Amino acid sequence: MLPFACVPAAPAFRVEGMADRVVLVVEDEFMVCELAAEALHDEGYRVLTAADALEAEQILSHERVDLLFTDIDLARNTNGLTLAHRARCQRPDLPVVYTSGGCGGLSESEAVCDSVFVPKPYLPSDIVALTNDILRRAPSPHHV
């Protein structure tokens, strides 16, 4: 099974130097997308949003993205699993976080390697803390 995200018990804190980091949130439920995007934006990240994998692939082809946060079941018969695999073909080091309210987890064969799964419902502060942790360990976009 793919590991569940371990979110620190301490509240999230602003991480210096993250303002140049870009998070792509892919979620077809508008309010869920807005909550995640707003929390990440308030933390200082540049946030791009897409409602389905087709829209997300367009963004990924034209924008630098430092982390992909995607729901698994998306609109227009698309899904986050295929999206993540396609994104990793273009950018093998792209951090991926999956989320879903419809499944309890993912097998390692379904997900891209070194990704994590966050079950819904989640707290926006948990997504911020997880993003901070992942991107703190990732290379700076200025050094890629």
Side-chain angles (χ1 to χ4, degrees):
M1 263 322 216
L2 191 68
F4 279 59
C6 294
V7 180
F13 58 92
R14 187 172 296 260
V15 177
E16 295 301 318
M18 293 298 185
D20 60 345
R21 297 298 185 105
V22 181
V23 178
L24 174 56
V25 176
V26 187
E27 172 62 65
D28 59 342
E29 294 181 44
F30 178 77
M31 290 303 297
V32 175
C33 184
E34 287 299 304
L35 284 172
E38 182 178 346
L40 292 163
H41 180 266
D42 288 349
E43 184 68 7
Y45 292 104
R46 179 170 173 240
V47 182
L48 306 172
T49 62
D52 60 54
L54 301 174
E55 187 179 350
E57 286 177 3
Q58 285 293 314
I59 292 169
L60 286 163
S61 70
H62 293 96
E63 297 277 350
R64 180 185 55 82
V65 172
D66 298 301
L67 183 138
L68 174 62
F69 179 70
T70 183
D71 190 12
I72 293 171
D73 297 313
L74 297 166
R76 296 201 297 177
N77 246 1
T78 64
N79 72 66
L81 297 170
T82 302
L83 170 64
H85 283 282
R86 288 181 179 164
R88 280 280 185 89
C89 285
Q90 301 301 313
R91 172 113 182 269
D93 62 338
L94 180 67
V96 175
V97 177
Y98 296 103
T99 188
S100 179
C103 67
L106 293 175
S107 70
E108 289 185 23
S109 64
E110 293 176 292
V112 295
C113 66
D114 299 324
S115 57
V116 294
F117 177 78
V118 178
K120 289 180 183 176
Y122 53 77
L123 295 173
S125 59
D126 291 343
I127 299 308
V128 168
L130 179 62
T131 301
N132 286 344
D133 184 54
I134 291 170
L135 292 181
R136 186 180 307 115
R137 291 181 276 129
S140 169
H142 299 296
H143 298 103
V144 176

